[in-house]
Amino acid sequence: MAYDQLRADLAEDGWHVPGGRWGFWLRLGRALLTGRGSKGLMCLLRTRGYVRGRGWMRAGNWLGLLMERRYGCYISPSARIAPGVKFPHPVGIVIGEGVVVGARAVIYQHVTLGGGRRGDGGSDRYPVLGDDVTVFAGAAVVGKVNVGARTTIGANAVVLRDLPEACTAAGVPARVLRRSCTS
């Protein structure tokens, strides 16, 4: 499963993977060693998920530490991130354990997606981002928040309540500035 997600992530970035599995592994190695930004981070993230899924927790933790040191971001191993998500500038990104990020989302630097109050328990206290969501630099989405598909969250916004589909939100606390009628 992690192999298929990683293949989809690389294809989303315009990487055609010819030559079956060997061509894929050569390109994966190149992305892990020299990849900057979204491509290298997603390769490390998916590889960590694959390794942890096989039961190799120490190796998975080591890859997580490597990801934190190299890219300066923390993404929990239990966060669910769909294929096609992009992190153009991954420095300072924090994604908590119960967060769900939809396909083709774009998350810029210093974004926090995390849980609300302690004591609520469970993954029901973490945000859920829909497909094609864009979160600009410095924004924070905190607590049990549902962000609709095709929504844009402005820089340094603090989202504490649900956002509808196809809208633009900004401010502290975030409020809807514009709703789009496109489908």
Side-chain angles (χ1 to χ4, degrees), residues 52-164:
R52 287 180 62 93
R54 293 276 192 185
W56 302 328
M57 295 303 172
R58 283 187 194 257
N61 292 340
W62 183 82
L63 286 171
L65 181 64
L66 178 66
M67 185 172 62
E68 288 177 36
R69 298 285 183 198
R70 182 164 185 181
Y71 296 101
C73 65
Y74 173 74
I75 300 175
S76 174
S78 56
R80 290 179 284 169
I81 299 178
V85 174
K86 292 192 181 352
F87 300 99
H89 305 283
V91 174
I93 293 175
V94 177
I95 299 180
E97 65 185 59
V99 175
V100 178
V101 180
R104 298 172 308 281
V106 180
I107 300 173
Y108 286 91
Q109 67 268 22
H110 296 287
V111 169
T112 301
L113 306 174
R117 296 176 300 218
R118 290 189 177 270
D120 290 353
S123 63
D124 62 339
R125 64 187 184 108
Y126 290 96
V128 175
L129 275 62
D131 295 343
D132 301 308
V133 170
T134 302
V135 184
F136 283 101
V141 183
V142 183
K144 184 180 178 186
V145 176
N146 289 318
V147 178
R150 300 179 317 279
T151 296
T152 301
I153 299 172
N156 296 319
V158 178
V159 179
L160 301 172
R161 296 189 180 157
D162 292 352
L163 295 175

